[in-house]
């Protein structure tokens, strides 16, 4: 499974890529807002275009998703083309992120996302379809030509817990097999957890030999990262803290301490080239 970092922070991107194992970057307007606000707070001047270019270079040739901000078909296509033409020449790694459906109350834009995905894909622009909350949204987005589809695992878990008046913290683990309350399995439209959503998308794609990659997004903790890989996700995108936490275990710390204390000088000398 590929691992992407989910952030707009160049500093976090550089730290993650120093590991040598990163496969890509996802951003969204909220992550960009957070990064821009932090830069401004620290008194740094911001040239947005230059900042995006630095992110693209920091990705070392791996894909970087940049999200459109328009919500109508024409606007999303126009913006997607502008972003791609402006930024893809920098490192050849831009993916345009398009919401699967941009309809809000009273609007009938149910197909604007699909139409935009189709139009951008036909221009040879790779699209990551975002804000996927059902397997059928993923299927339709893939049919429209999306190269990646992003089910939001953590937000489905939030939604299920909120609908059932449960108290939880943002990074609390939600069991992949779901939760029972008052003898009833909690769910949303046949989806019992965010990772169940990822698994259902992966199963449909496998069944039909669909090439689009399932990108498990909104990953909040390391168990969810593991569950995403077990569910057959092609990619998981996670914040830096989750990626770092995935390397932690108290017994690893203890083991390092004990081994360090046990090193005899003769053995240490070998490693020092003496
Ligand atoms: O990858 C999507 C992500 O940025 C949303 O994450 O934790 O805000 O639901 P979250």
């Amino acid at each position: 499974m590929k691992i992407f970092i989910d952030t707009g922070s160049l500093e976090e991107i550089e730290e993650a890529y120093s590991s040598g194992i990163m496969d890509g970057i996802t951003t969204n307007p909220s992550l960009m807002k957070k990064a821009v606000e932090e830069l401004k707070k620290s008194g740094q001047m911001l040239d947005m275009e230059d900042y995006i270019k630095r992110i693209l270079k920091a990705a070392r040739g791996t894909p970087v998703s940049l999200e459109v901000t328009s919500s109508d078909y024409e606007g999303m296509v126009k913006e997607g083309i502008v972003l791609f033409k402006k930024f893809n020449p920098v490192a050849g790694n831009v993916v345009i992120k398009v919401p699967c459906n941009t309809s809000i109350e009273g609007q009938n834009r149910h197909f604007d996302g699909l139409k935009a995905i189709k139009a951008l894909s036909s221009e040879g622009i790779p699209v990551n379809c975002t804000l996927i909350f059902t397997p059928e949204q993923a299927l339709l987005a893939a049919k429209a030509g999306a190269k990646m589809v992003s089910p939001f695992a953590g937000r489905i878990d939030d939604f299920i817990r909120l609908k059932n008046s449960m108290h939880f913290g943002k990074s609390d683990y939600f069991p992949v097999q779901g939760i029972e309350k008052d003898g009833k399995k909690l769910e949303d439209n046949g989806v019992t957890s965010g990772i169940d959503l990822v698994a259902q998308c992966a199963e449909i794609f496998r069944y039909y030999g669909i090439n689009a990659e399932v990108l498990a997004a909104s990953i909040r903790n390391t168990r969810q990262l593991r569950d995403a890989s077990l569910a057959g996700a092609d990619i998981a995108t996670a914040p830096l803290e989750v990626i770092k936490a995935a390397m932690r275990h108290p017994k690893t710390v203890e083991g390092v301490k004990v081994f360090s204390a046990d090193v005899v000088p003769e053995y240490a000398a070998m490693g020092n080239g003496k």
Side-chain angles (χ1 to χ4, degrees), residues 1-269:
M1 183 178 73
K2 296 178 201 167
I3 310 269
F4 286 13
I5 179 166
D6 196 29
T7 188
S9 158
L10 184 58
E11 202 179 323
E12 288 184 1
I13 289 167
E14 282 167 350
E15 186 175 350
Y17 273 77
S18 72
S19 70
I21 58 107
M22 296 307 299
D23 299 301
I25 301 168
T26 47
T27 68
N28 63 40
S30 306
L31 292 170
M32 282 298 185
K33 179 178 179 217
K34 188 169 170 236
V36 165
E37 282 175 355
E38 272 164 21
L39 284 174
K40 285 184 182 163
K41 224 188 296 162
S42 68
Q44 294 186 51
M45 292 289 286
L46 180 77
D47 173 335
M48 199 68 223
E49 283 195 25
D50 180 60
Y51 187 69
I52 302 277
K53 286 178 183 166
R54 288 166 65 197
I55 289 180
L56 295 172
K57 287 180 195 155
R60 305 180 187 179
T62 64
V64 179
S65 291
L66 299 177
E67 189 156 343
V68 296
T69 55
S70 307
S71 50
D72 61 302
Y73 161 66
E74 288 82 5
M76 286 190 280
V77 173
K78 192 171 155 218
E79 205 183 324
I81 292 174
V82 167
L83 286 174
F84 191 77
K85 283 199 174 150
K86 191 190 292 270
F87 292 116
N88 198 53
V90 176
N93 55 351
V94 171
V95 175
I96 298 298
K97 212 169 170 188
V98 175
C100 63
N101 176 1
T102 51
S103 261
I104 50 174
E105 297 82 18
Q107 292 176 336
N108 181 6
R109 288 197 181 139
H110 294 87
F111 292 151
D112 282 32
L114 291 178
K115 282 167 28 187
I117 294 166
K118 182 121 197 164
L120 292 169
S121 303
S122 322
E123 294 287 320
I125 297 176
V127 175
N128 171 0
C129 178
T130 189
L131 290 168
I132 298 273
F133 290 96
T134 70
E136 52 275 21
Q137 286 178 327
L139 176 63
L140 269 56
K143 281 177 77 73
K147 286 265 173 287
M148 300 169 188
V149 299
S150 296
F152 272 39
R155 289 195 193 185
I156 274 286
D157 296 341
D158 294 347
F159 191 56
I160 293 174
R161 285 184 281 216
L162 284 170
K163 277 204 301 188
N164 291 282
S165 314
M166 292 171 69
H167 297 284
F168 61 94
K170 190 174 175 185
S171 57
D172 287 354
Y173 179 65
F174 190 105
V176 60
Q177 70 281 6
I179 292 178
E180 274 196 20
K181 195 178 172 209
D182 306 326
K184 195 178 108 224
K185 185 77 157 274
L186 307 184
E187 52 111 42
D188 175 55
N189 187 28
V191 167
T192 53
S193 69
I195 293 296
D196 180 40
L197 169 64
V198 171
Q200 290 191 33
C201 295
E203 192 177 343
I204 293 171
F205 285 16
R206 206 167 33 244
Y207 189 71
Y208 290 105
I210 294 170
N211 285 328
E213 292 185 293
V214 176
L215 192 168
S218 184
I219 296 290
R220 309 278 182 70
N221 54 62
T222 60
R223 281 284 294 278
Q224 220 176 16
L225 189 66
R226 179 198 313 170
D227 290 342
S229 66
L230 290 168
D234 299 289
I235 307 164
T237 189
L240 178 62
E241 271 322 304
V242 173
I243 301 170
K244 277 181 165 176
M247 287 308 296
R248 276 186 216 127
H249 193 281
K251 292 298 284 180
T252 306
V253 176
E254 182 195 291
V256 167
K257 272 194 195 150
V258 171
F259 290 156
S260 303
D262 284 347
V263 177
V264 292
E266 294 83 350
Y267 193 94

